[in-house]
Amino acid sequence: MEKLHTINRLSALRQKDKFSAPEWEKRGLSPSGAECCLQLDMQFNDTLDALITAVENNASSRQLKSLLSQHLSAFDKSEYDTEEREFIADTFHKLSTIVDVDIKYALNSWMYGIVLGTLIKISTLFKRPRKVIETLSQECSNCKTALDTFILERGNEIPDLCWDIIQCDSCNEFNLLNKGPHIRQLRFGNYRWVEQLSKDEFNEEQAIVRLEQIKYFRKK
């Protein structure tokens, strides 16, 4: 009975238009482009088909978790803005709940990179919205828009591990972000996360060189 219930829930979600305008509006957001929404829906339907088959074949929790992680990695997060990435991660979290497996680590790693994925929780997915306790702000190097990072929780044990390369939502300029230590939970503001550089491997000068490489190759 439980197996049939799981399959029915997955099948119902497959029939649903998961990225329709009303679904975006429920999140307080304007819909992404029609082509993007259609592609997301089709890709998630592939994931749902695989999950349904796996459940029908009595796959173990470990196999289901691996399947979800593999399908998550097929989404190129660099192609999506912050809101789209959060919607994708939220939908994968919903799937994991239906099949009763925990993929929070995989979602953290996909959203923020492996380094931060082990330390920073995705507040928008797994907990109620947290109050912003501090806002870190720096000017976009091109349009001078304030690029805000909202701190939701600090932890003294969290080290300063990485540089972040981000992209301004206003002008699409790439910027180098240095958040500093002691951040347990955060939320991006008006920018998109692009790449993470470990401070064990990149000093500030090397991080700036990498930033310039991204500016050159991605704007060509």
Side-chain angles (χ1 to χ4, degrees):
M1 183 66 70
E2 183 177 346
K3 174 180 172 180
L4 180 60
H5 179 62
T6 299
I7 292 172
N8 286 341
R9 290 181 67 189
L10 293 171
S11 298
L13 187 57
R14 194 195 187 289
Q15 297 301 317
K16 183 179 179 181
D17 188 352
K18 294 169 281 296
F19 297 90
S20 64
E23 293 300 319
W24 286 97
E25 289 165 5
K26 287 178 185 178
R27 303 173 69 88
L29 300 169
S30 298
S32 292
E35 184 177 350
C36 175
C37 292
L38 178 60
Q39 177 61 38
L40 287 172
D41 209 56
M42 291 174 62
Q43 202 161 344
F44 267 105
N45 283 346
D46 289 342
T47 302
L48 282 158
D49 287 340
L51 273 179
I52 291 169
T53 299
V55 173
E56 288 175 338
N57 291 329
N58 299 312
S60 66
S61 294
R62 182 176 180 179
Q63 290 171 322
L64 292 171
K65 184 174 181 177
S66 176
L67 187 153
L68 281 171
S69 296
Q70 289 172 11
H71 279 259
L72 173 63
S73 65
F75 285 79
D76 183 354
K77 65 184 176 185
S78 67
E79 295 182 358
Y80 305 103
D81 63 25
T82 302
E83 289 78 13
E84 290 164 347
R85 289 197 297 268
E86 289 180 350
F87 203 165
I88 290 167
D90 206 2
T91 305
F92 266 103
H93 182 242
K94 183 184 297 183
L95 297 184
S96 72
T97 301
I98 292 174
V99 297
D100 195 25
V101 296
D102 185 351
I103 61 166
K104 292 187 183 73
Y105 175 76
L107 289 172
N108 276 327
S109 298
W110 185 80
M111 285 285 288
Y112 296 108
I114 293 175
V115 174
L116 283 183
T118 61
L119 299 171
I120 297 178
K121 302 171 185 176
I122 305 179
S123 61
T124 57
L125 300 182
F126 312 121
K127 292 189 175 183
R128 294 178 180 177
R130 300 288 300 274
K131 181 179 179 181
V132 175
I133 62 172
E134 184 180 348
T135 300
L136 304 180
S137 186
Q138 71 177 54
E139 282 190 350
C140 172
S141 59
N142 181 55
C143 70
K144 307 305 179 184
T145 295
L147 303 175
D148 295 329
T149 302
F150 303 110
I151 308 303
L152 307 180
E153 183 180 351
R154 285 195 174 275
N156 291 332
E157 76 281 11
I158 308 297
D160 186 8
L161 291 174
C162 60
W163 309 94
D164 292 290
I165 295 177
I166 61 176
Q167 189 171 19
C168 175
D169 282 342
S170 297
C171 70
N172 291 321
E173 180 64 289
F174 296 99
N175 291 262
L176 185 66
L177 175 67
N178 183 20
K179 301 184 299 297
H182 311 315
I183 299 174
R184 185 182 298 279
Q185 292 190 32
L186 58 78
R187 188 172 72 238
F188 299 151
N190 51 341
Y191 63 82
R192 302 182 293 281
W193 183 86
V194 176
E195 188 171 309
Q196 188 177 89
L197 307 174
S198 170
K199 288 191 173 180
D200 288 337
E201 300 176 12
F202 291 82
N203 59 30
E204 184 173 9
E205 183 178 351
Q206 291 169 324
I208 291 172
V209 169
R210 176 57 184 155
L211 171 66
E212 294 303 320
Q213 289 174 340
I214 288 176
K215 286 182 178 181
Y216 177 77
F217 287 108
R218 298 201 183 185
K219 287 186 176 181
K220 290 186 70 175

